Amino acid sequence: MYPLKRNRRLRTNKAIRSLVRETIITPNDFLVPLFVVEGKGVKDEIPSMPNYFRYSLDLLEGEVKALWKLGLKSVLLFVKVPDNLKDNKGTEALNPNGLMQRAIKTVKNVCPDMLVMTDVALDPYSAYGHDGIIENGQVLNDKTVDVLSEMSISHAQAGANFVAPSDMMDGRILSIREALEDEGFTNTGIMSYSAKYASAFYGPFRDALDSAPVDLIDIPKDKKTYQMDYANRFEAIRETEMDIDEGADIVMVKPGLCYLDIVREIKNDVDVPVAVYQVSGEYAMLKAAAEKGWLEHDAVMMEQITAIKRAGADIIASYFAKDVVKILNT
């Protein structure tokens, strides 16, 4: 006796597979991380992130135009701050003519409709490589939050559409939201890194910004006192719900592939957009494996991106964004 239902009928050819596909990737899914440096004519490849670059402001203009032409309409800005401007208070983060503030204006000048999100954290500005102010060997929460709130206002004044606090300090979303409201930036959104795990996948990113924690006596060697334990699941839901209650418009899970269970849990639990950051280590691993000939780069890349969206991501921050969209456009 033969089966009445044959699931393979819906896999017979490319046309039917495309017709019944449940998860569709488009350029609108992506948020493109961009690294910015001081100087002129600088397009500096990040050694641990092949084919990904840091741009000086003049070359950032061309990159933004290229992204827009591909249909990529949202960017997330990070800055590599010169060592001589780093301290323990994030002083340079509040400079109205700082690199981040100029980068925001550069993007908006060259492409006014590009959605600009900005990293809000102290690690690029910290002499110690931490996301907060250090005192007596501890990362201070409330003093750090005060600086993050001022930093968010400075980004909004420069023209940012969204601020993206990536620090994992307690209460920072409420403080930032209230600060923005008080200054009249009622339409400036907040994308919170709500479930950001203390992950080993961030190494290449820290190379890109020279922002790894320093190895000194009385300075925490890692970020485990504020980023989440990767063994925890329910904590991610609690953190995310608290951020939404405090005013987050978008919530994020970071990293991506090892945390797709968390993405689905949060997607099922909340009614705001969920972002996922496919981080630098995920990017670097595929690049390295493809260079060795162990994996087919584009096939694995597309499978990974599809898995992230299938798990529940409304927004994907990915270093593969340009590569994916070029494939989609062929």
Side-chain angles (χ1 to χ4, degrees):
M1 183 174 179
Y2 296 100
L4 294 177
K5 285 190 175 291
R6 293 181 183 267
N7 294 328
R8 288 182 60 189
R9 294 184 190 120
L10 299 183
R11 305 172 196 148
T12 305
N13 55 53
K14 185 175 181 180
I16 187 62
R17 291 193 298 270
S18 297
L19 189 65
V20 300
R21 175 163 288 178
E22 300 173 29
T23 305
I24 307 297
I25 304 298
T26 79
N28 293 327
D29 292 319
F30 290 103
L31 175 61
V32 184
L34 291 175
F35 298 120
V36 186
V37 294
E38 295 283 8
K40 207 164 189 178
V42 178
K43 183 181 179 181
D44 184 20
E45 186 174 24
I46 301 158
S48 52
M49 297 178 67
N51 204 37
Y52 219 83
F53 302 88
R54 307 179 192 96
Y55 296 95
S56 55
L57 294 176
D58 56 328
L59 297 189
L60 179 65
E61 295 181 0
E63 180 64 9
V64 169
K65 289 178 181 177
L67 293 175
W68 188 262
K69 189 173 181 179
L70 286 170
L72 292 162
K73 303 169 187 171
S74 305
V75 297
L76 177 58
L77 298 180
F78 299 92
V79 293
K80 185 179 186 295
V81 178
D83 287 345
N84 67 305
L85 296 178
K86 296 180 180 181
D87 60 20
N88 189 33
K89 298 180 180 178
T91 305
E92 179 62 16
L94 307 182
N95 179 359
N97 197 39
L99 182 57
M100 176 64 84
Q101 289 78 355
R102 285 179 282 132
I104 296 166
K105 293 174 183 177
T106 296
V107 175
K108 283 298 187 181
N109 285 340
V110 73
C111 190
D113 292 329
M114 181 69 80
L115 186 80
V116 176
M117 297 192 183
T118 58
D119 180 50
V120 173
L122 294 190
D123 51 329
Y125 302 91
S126 169
Y128 302 121
H130 273 284
D131 293 58
I133 296 168
I134 304 285
E135 281 187 16
N136 300 318
Q138 301 291 321
V139 178
L140 300 185
N141 193 93
D142 295 359
K143 287 185 178 180
T144 297
V145 168
D146 289 342
V147 178
L148 297 176
S149 299
E150 293 182 64
M151 189 176 175
S152 297
I153 292 170
S154 180
H155 293 186
Q157 289 171 336
N161 301 105
F162 275 76
V163 293
S166 62
D167 56 286
M168 289 298 287
M169 299 297 120
D170 291 332
R172 88 272 203 213
I173 302 303
L174 178 60
S175 178
I176 290 170
R177 185 71 267 163
E178 288 180 340
L180 291 170
E181 297 292 322
D182 289 345
E183 293 296 322
F185 294 106
T186 57
N187 290 326
T188 303
I190 300 174
M191 180 178 71
S192 174
Y193 289 59
S194 299
K196 182 178 181 180
Y197 286 85
S199 171
F201 284 95
Y202 301 147
F205 175 93
R206 292 170 182 168
D207 290 343
L209 296 185
D210 189 23
S211 62
V214 298
D215 188 10
L216 293 174
I217 297 174
D218 295 331
I219 299 297
K221 302 299 188 296
D222 53 44
K223 301 188 177 186
K224 293 180 180 179
T225 65
Y226 46 99
Q227 294 178 356
M228 285 178 51
D229 183 346
Y230 60 71
N232 293 354
R233 170 176 153 220
F234 297 116
E235 183 183 7
I237 298 172
R238 184 166 65 249
E239 287 274 5
T240 302
E241 289 176 342
M242 289 175 66
D243 282 357
I244 293 170
D245 289 342
E246 291 181 14
D249 301 285
I250 300 169
V251 295
M252 179 189 280
V253 177
K254 181 182 180 183
L257 290 175
C258 289
Y259 299 85
L260 297 186
D261 59 323
I262 306 300
V263 176
R264 175 44 60 185
E265 291 267 9
I266 289 173
K267 182 64 177 176
N268 289 345
D269 187 65
V270 306
D271 57 3
V272 302
V274 176
V276 173
Y277 203 137
Q278 187 184 30
V279 299
S280 58
E282 298 172 74
Y283 176 88
M285 285 194 304
L286 177 51
K287 290 293 184 183
E291 183 180 345
K292 291 284 189 179
W294 295 339
L295 291 174
E296 185 180 341
H297 181 277
D298 290 353
V300 174
M301 175 183 70
M302 295 303 296
E303 185 175 344
Q304 290 181 345
I305 292 292
T306 303
I308 291 170
K309 185 170 182 180
R310 188 187 64 228
D314 301 292
I315 301 164
I316 305 171
S318 176
Y319 305 104
F320 289 119
K322 283 176 69 176
D323 293 337
V324 171
V325 170
K326 286 176 182 177
I327 291 174
L328 295 178
N329 289 343
T330 56

